[in-house]
Amino acid sequence: MSVRVVARIRPLLDKELDKDMIVRADSIEPGKPNTMVKIPNPRNEGEEFSFTFNSVYDQSTSQETLFTSEVAPYLKSLFQGLDVTIFAYGVTGTGKTHTMRGGMKLADRGVIPRLLSGVFRRGKKIMKDTGGETTVEVALSYYEIYNDKVYDLLEPPEKRTPTGLPLRAEASGRTVVVGLSERSCADLKDFEKLYIEANTNRVTAATKLNAHSSRSHAILRVKLTQTTGDMVRESTASAIDLAGSEDNRRTDNGKERLVESAAINKSLFVLSQCIDAISRGDKRIPYRESKMTRILSLGQNNGITVMILNLAPLRSYHLDTLSSLNVSSRAKRI
Ligand code: ADP
Ligand code: MG
């Protein structure tokens, strides 16, 4: 099992150009790659806090660089049969969806379309190199966890059962969603069509509930099956865009938002407790206390996990940024 924890600082947006950047990337020694995030102490601006990560990407980092450095190296492991999980953690507005999904323009595409593109390319190469003796199949599932309930995003919102889908622990140690649909995908075009449709389902369902999609965790699961004669090798890549980690108690929420934020805060709180328990070496990890942590099973599987902490450099995010830095920098000790 390996967990990499990296941070990515987003640039100022056009409407923010008059604001100060209070968060910066730094290196331990000049000339070394950035591994530290520096941020002022909100109680004493003269003092600076530092948090250490495996890598820190500053505001000038392109989508391509992030993918090439943090995700592409694990494509090989995935094809060797290891499970790979990439998840984005951070406050709403810090760039989680930009990092995972990205924009429509080629250069703006995020981790997910690039991952799929890499999987299809490698799969085709294997089939070609083995003269068709090995077949590679890709199947997708896409779902969200909202208020601790699991909903299939490949199904239209009308088909949602209010109680959501149940989870089950498999003998392999994986936790699976019972009844989740799976669509086979032949190429990137196939994938894009499904993905766009599913994201529309996500927004429609959220609108009906008078909510916002940043309040749910979105999980894309890519199942890879490689078959050579009788031998079948199965592995999964999961890409997760977590709900915003901000503390909603500080904002002026209506009643519905409060129920929601209790569930969101709870699953993210359980995640931070799991991170602490694992980094302390505890035997008892409270995974079972939320569906998101059961599915994420951080440190439980023998695969590879990359946690991307997204950060906005603005002062208006100061306290939430500090709390997200605290949680994720502890994850580095896993
Ligand atoms: P989140 O999903 O964490 O709420 P978003 O991904 O929606 O945040 O990002 C918030 C805004 O910042 C969006 O307008 C997005 O396009 C922009 N943004 C985020 N990261 C970057 C980046 N690295 N480069 C340019 N724009 C970014
Ligand atoms: Mg988002």
Side-chain angles (χ1 to χ4, degrees), residues 96-97 214 241:
K96 295 181 297 297
T97 304
S214 72
D241 185 348

Side-chain angles (χ1 to χ4, degrees), residues 101-138:
R101 188 196 306 177
M104 295 302 274
K105 275 196 282 175
L106 221 56
D108 291 342
R109 291 190 319 165
V111 162
I112 288 171
R114 287 171 198 268
L115 172 72
L116 267 298
S117 164
V119 165
F120 289 123
R121 194 171 324 127
R122 219 179 166 97
K124 292 221 165 72
K125 185 169 185 310
I126 289 174
M127 290 199 271
K128 191 166 161 246
D129 291 351
T130 61
E133 201 188 319
T134 300
T135 59
V136 180
E137 284 162 283
V138 177

